[in-house]
Amino acid sequence: MEFKNKILLITFFFLAAFSTMHAERVVLDAADFGVRADGESNDALAIQRMIDAAVERGQDKSVTFRFPADSRIYAEPYRNRHLFRIDGFHDLRIEGSDTIFSLHPDLRFIFATNCDTLTVRGINIEMAVNPTLEATIMSTNRDGSELTVRLDEPERAPTLAGPTGEDGEQGLFGMLWLNDLYTDYSYHYYVRDFETDDASVNALTTVIGRNPVPAHYFERIRPGETRISLPVAGVAHRHGPGAMIIIDRCGDVHFEDVEVWSAPWFAYQIFRNTGELVFRRAHVRPQPGSKRVTSIWRDAFHVKGNSGTLLFEDCILKGMNDDAFNVSTHNWRVTRVLSENHFEIEQFFPIQFMPFQVGGNLEVLSADGQVRLGNARIERIKGIPEDIAVISEEDPLEHPEAPTLEVITAEPIAGIEVGSVMWDTTTANPSVTIRGCVIRNSCRFQSPVTLENNDIQALVWFYGEDVEGPLPSGSIVRNNTFKRGRGNPEIAVSILGVMRVGFEAEETIIPSSKEAFPLRDIVFENNRVYGDLVIDRVHGLQLRGNRFPDGLGSSRIAESFDVSLRRNRPNLRQILQNY
């Protein structure tokens, strides 16, 4: 009996503790704070009241913001450039159920910093004023420098104008969609101006380009069929803190059933996070059921300098005018050598500071980026500021510059010199998995990735450069379908093993030992490749069980060592060069 009573007592305390933990979650219902969710009223103030209420309750609490299902919420800028500016929350959930957030062109969705746990579910995000007008080309002049088009939405013709320079607007370009074998190929059409008549249903618009269309693109234009996405000046591809969702220095992050249908810059900017980050069914695509071709103007996922693990699963990524994935960090270069284990460094790209961490692994290349000098454990760092913000809180169009640092390593690195290139592998996205995704835009992988069971119709590029690096050693690529498409009309997969410092090297140096190769240990197995496979300067390469249904074309494996080829069809030995 005494034993049974102890069990009951333990059970009572466990249930009481669980009940207390469960009770600590505060659910804030949007309607209680005045969110109308009618698609017309500006709900930004009501949403800010929800955020303020959560802060007042204590950011160490578990809080849920709940929004009505199957509703449309319109918002204009109120206090911040992002509708949800959240910092330092312990456990925050933003939940809807097929809830649409429609944002004014000056507004973005989430800017989250220093949050332990952030969860977003059941949300769709669009711009209230779409950054593009879709159109069909009806005729051209002789070189394509002028296009006569019929707009899908002729009533919006008055919004078209030449470049404004507003809000740091980048070069004003549209996107010309040209039919290719597997998917549409795109050409950046830079706009000088527009000429429109009235906004009647049959109105035609003349697009005046900055330059003629190159002949090999111009000959593929089919009047009455070829589509073009035209930029709305002052809305499309604006600069500043332009990402629709910024996640910076957070712990665990989970996005599930979240869609971004339109945005003027990146969809996601994921920087310097430390925990488990999961993006499951986080689609970036034109709104399903619409006739839109373009979704966003820049990258879907811009991923930099994370030490945590990242998983992208079952995502549909299409219609962006840049990359589906840019996975990288910012490289540093030596500006002063104090000793073989003590040196001063600065970041190649001077903004969006990517700090090192004590205990991290420092990888070092020669100044030309072609030879690996070695690696060492980071023992001490001097010069990291307390404030390492991505953007300035005072002026959201300003980016604080990265500081000059001093790094002291536990072991010396022979051959280190002014100009040597380096990065911390432990903060350069060491664990990224992309699984089961449908990808229709090019991918840049400059940190190691695992690609599994993806359907990709675009260039997939493994490489490094001085600004965005490092190099994706240790990548695993298996069970994918690759088809040439956006990014390159011939190449499906490119793996290049020399860092592009200044983009040009006076001569190519082939290291004589594995330890001196910048790019190492790549596994490429059981993939189907429609298009060219190009591999250059890799040491430790396994290609097994791959199929090339269209043949090998201009594929090549050059200047690579320790290459293992097994069960590939056709046999890849015929494309080996200098091996």
Side-chain angles (χ1 to χ4, degrees):
M1 181 65 71
E2 183 179 352
F3 176 79
K4 183 177 180 180
N5 288 338
K6 286 183 178 179
I7 293 296
L8 290 173
L9 188 62
I10 291 170
T11 303
F12 171 80
F13 281 118
F14 174 81
L15 291 174
F18 179 83
S19 177
T20 301
M21 291 170 59
H22 184 70
E24 286 181 356
R25 175 161 292 282
V26 177
V27 177
L28 304 182
D29 194 277
D32 295 340
F33 291 85
V35 173
R36 296 187 180 184
D38 58 13
E40 297 180 357
S41 304
N42 180 11
D43 282 327
L45 175 58
I47 290 171
Q48 187 60 52
R49 284 196 290 260
M50 295 177 72
I51 297 172
D52 293 343
V55 173
E56 289 174 5
R57 283 169 169 80
Q59 289 170 266
D60 58 335
K61 302 292 192 300
S62 296
V63 178
T64 297
F65 295 159
R66 183 167 294 162
F67 292 92
D70 302 313
S71 62
R72 183 182 298 272
I73 296 170
Y74 172 69
E76 298 178 2
Y78 171 62
R79 184 181 298 174
N80 302 296
R81 183 117 187 218
H82 286 76
L83 182 61
F84 292 92
R85 177 63 181 99
I86 51 180
D87 179 73
F89 277 87
H90 165 65
D91 179 6
L92 177 64
R93 298 179 186 172
I94 300 173
E95 294 186 348
S97 180
D98 211 20
T99 305
I100 298 172
F101 282 83
S102 182
L103 306 181
H104 183 278
D106 289 337
L107 192 63
R108 309 293 184 262
F109 190 58
I110 291 177
F111 185 5
T113 51
N114 303 302
C115 294
D116 294 336
T117 303
L118 172 65
T119 303
V120 182
R121 290 196 183 102
I123 301 295
N124 304 313
I125 304 159
E126 67 172 7
M127 303 295 292
V129 178
N130 199 51
T132 63
L133 275 172
E134 310 289 4
T136 301
I137 297 175
M138 306 307 295
S139 64
T140 75
N141 68 346
R142 300 183 71 175
D143 62 6
S145 59
E146 290 189 9
L147 309 174
T148 300
V149 305
R150 173 165 288 131
L151 302 175
D152 288 1
E153 302 171 86
E155 67 279 5
R156 292 185 62 198
T159 66
L160 293 172
T164 67
E166 178 185 351
D167 191 18
E169 179 184 71
Q170 303 276 288
L172 194 75
F173 63 84
M175 196 61 72
L176 187 61
W177 300 99
L178 303 166
N179 186 258
D180 200 21
L181 180 61
Y182 299 116
T183 187
D184 284 340
Y185 193 74
S186 56
Y187 170 72
H188 288 68
Y189 192 93
Y190 283 86
V191 175
R192 182 159 56 87
D193 211 346
F194 295 91
E195 293 178 358
T196 61
D197 51 20
D198 61 57
S200 66
V201 172
N202 294 317
L204 297 177
T205 294
T206 299
V207 186
I208 303 171
R210 280 195 343 212
N211 302 295
V213 176
H216 61 287
Y217 295 126
F218 181 69
E219 65 188 16
R220 293 162 65 183
I221 295 176
R222 302 287 181 264
E225 299 178 11
T226 300
R227 301 278 283 167
I228 187 170
S229 298
L230 299 172
V232 175
V235 181
H237 43 73
R238 291 162 67 165
H239 194 50
M244 187 60 75
I245 298 164
I246 299 176
I247 305 167
D248 178 30
R249 290 167 287 156
C250 291
D252 293 344
V253 174
H254 293 83
F255 276 65
E256 191 168 291
D257 297 313
V258 175
E259 300 216 22
V260 178
W261 293 337
S262 56
W265 200 245
F266 304 140
Y268 292 84
Q269 184 171 308
I270 305 168
F271 281 12
R272 306 178 304 193
N273 299 286
T274 58
E276 178 187 70
L277 293 91
V278 177
F279 299 86
R280 185 171 287 117
R281 295 182 300 280
H283 306 320
V284 181
R285 57 178 172 175
Q287 182 178 2
S290 73
K291 295 172 64 177
R292 295 176 185 171
V293 183
T294 293
S295 55
I296 66 173
W297 280 100
R298 292 296 299 273
D299 300 345
F301 291 101
H302 197 79
V303 180
K304 271 194 171 70
N306 299 279
S307 58
T309 63
L310 293 105
L311 170 64
F312 302 89
E313 190 169 52
D314 299 331
C315 301
I316 300 173
L317 308 174
K318 59 174 63 175
M320 59 281 314
N321 286 337
D322 210 333
D323 300 313
F325 286 97
N326 181 326
V327 182
S328 60
T329 193
H330 291 319
N331 290 315
W332 293 69
R333 61 185 161 197
V334 174
T335 54
R336 192 158 58 107
V337 178
L338 303 173
S339 73
E340 286 191 331
N341 72 328
H342 184 187
F343 27 86
E344 181 184 85
I345 62 173
E346 64 181 23
Q347 196 169 279
F348 272 98
F349 187 61
I351 63 176
Q352 297 173 344
F353 175 44
M354 296 291 138
F356 295 172
Q357 62 183 17
V358 173
N361 176 62
L362 189 69
E363 191 88 5
V364 184
L365 304 186
S366 58
D368 59 12
Q370 298 194 60
V371 175
R372 179 176 178 267
L373 300 179
N375 67 308
R377 186 175 62 84
I378 300 171
E379 192 168 75
R380 190 176 174 193
I381 307 169
K382 299 178 181 180
I384 295 181
E386 293 184 6
D387 180 14
I388 56 171
V390 168
I391 63 174
S392 168
E393 294 290 346
E394 292 75 24
D395 184 350
L397 300 184
E398 292 295 325
H399 298 256
E401 288 199 7
T404 298
L405 302 180
E406 284 187 42
V407 174
I408 300 169
T409 59
E411 306 85 23
I413 301 174
I416 199 162
E417 60 184 340
V418 171
S420 292
V421 182
M422 61 180 55
W423 64 90
D424 182 351
T425 64
T426 58
T427 61
N429 317 304
S431 178
V432 177
T433 300
I434 300 170
R435 179 187 301 135
C437 295
V438 175
I439 301 171
R440 297 293 180 263
N441 286 76
S442 54
C443 300
R444 298 173 186 262
F445 297 127
Q446 293 153 282
S447 295
V449 297
T450 297
L451 297 182
E452 296 178 330
N453 302 306
N454 299 290
D455 174 5
I456 305 175
Q457 295 182 17
L459 171 67
V460 176
W461 190 10
F462 296 82
Y463 76 111
E465 61 176 83
D466 49 9
V467 175
E468 288 185 327
L471 282 160
S473 293
S475 292
I476 299 172
V477 184
R478 61 165 63 104
N479 301 324
N480 302 281
T481 297
F482 297 102
K483 294 182 179 179
R484 61 184 175 86
R486 295 193 66 189
N488 193 291
E490 298 171 351
I491 299 174
V493 182
S494 175
I495 305 174
L496 301 180
V498 61
M499 181 167 287
R500 301 162 67 207
V501 178
F503 302 104
E504 295 291 340
E506 293 183 4
E507 61 177 328
T508 298
I509 298 171
I510 304 302
S512 59
S513 69
K514 181 175 182 179
E515 288 69 27
F517 263 71
L519 182 58
R520 306 177 305 281
D521 303 326
I522 304 293
V523 175
F524 194 89
E525 62 183 5
N526 299 325
N527 302 288
R528 294 173 63 84
V529 183
Y530 297 78
D532 291 350
L533 170 67
V534 174
I535 298 174
D536 201 349
R537 289 169 294 227
V538 178
H539 199 145
L541 174 66
Q542 299 181 46
L543 293 104
R544 301 185 294 245
N546 299 290
R547 299 292 180 267
F548 297 82
D550 289 347
L552 295 176
S554 299
S555 297
R556 69 175 186 271
I557 304 173
E559 307 292 2
S560 296
F561 295 85
D562 193 12
V563 178
S564 173
L565 304 176
R566 297 181 183 176
R567 305 187 309 279
N568 301 289
R569 296 291 181 272
N571 192 331
L572 294 178
R573 293 191 180 279
Q574 61 185 285
I575 63 172
L576 285 172
Q577 301 170 23
N578 301 319
Y579 169 61

